[in-house]
Amino acid sequence: MPKAKVSQAELDAVNGAALDPIIEALLEHLPAPGDYWSKDDRALWLRMIELSFELVYDDEPQPEATDEPAARTGLHPHGG
């Protein structure tokens, strides 16, 4: 008997948070276990999820907010 697709509510319960709509849509397009899925289509899906991660998640942790002004870059605001 094929497994049913995991619902968003079930994913939220596991992850503790809602998924980004881009990632959610890609997960919804996964074929059911046991279905035919060509290697080319799998590679394309993996590339799309990789690019989605780049859009959705930061590569570096965000600095904590402070009351101090941003560090000066040493560049003159008028190009000097």
Side-chain angles (χ1 to χ4, degrees):
M1 179 193 270
K3 254 186 176 176
K5 285 191 176 182
V6 177
S7 71
Q8 182 59 46
E10 291 169 316
L11 289 172
D12 289 348
V14 171
N15 295 328
L19 292 173
D20 184 89
I22 294 170
I23 295 172
E24 182 178 350
L26 286 169
L27 291 174
E28 289 174 359
H29 282 88
L30 284 170
D35 283 356
Y36 171 77
W37 197 17
S38 73
K39 287 185 178 187
D40 287 343
D41 287 346
R42 283 182 272 171
L44 177 60
W45 187 91
L46 288 168
R47 182 69 180 134
M48 288 189 303
I49 199 84
E50 178 184 12
L51 291 171
S52 298
F53 289 166
E54 289 182 25
L55 285 172
V56 173
Y57 300 108
D58 291 328
D59 289 340
E60 301 290 329
Q62 295 298 310
E64 293 185 26
T66 65
D67 292 334
E68 298 178 28
R72 298 182 61 97
T73 60
L75 297 176
H76 189 276
H78 300 289

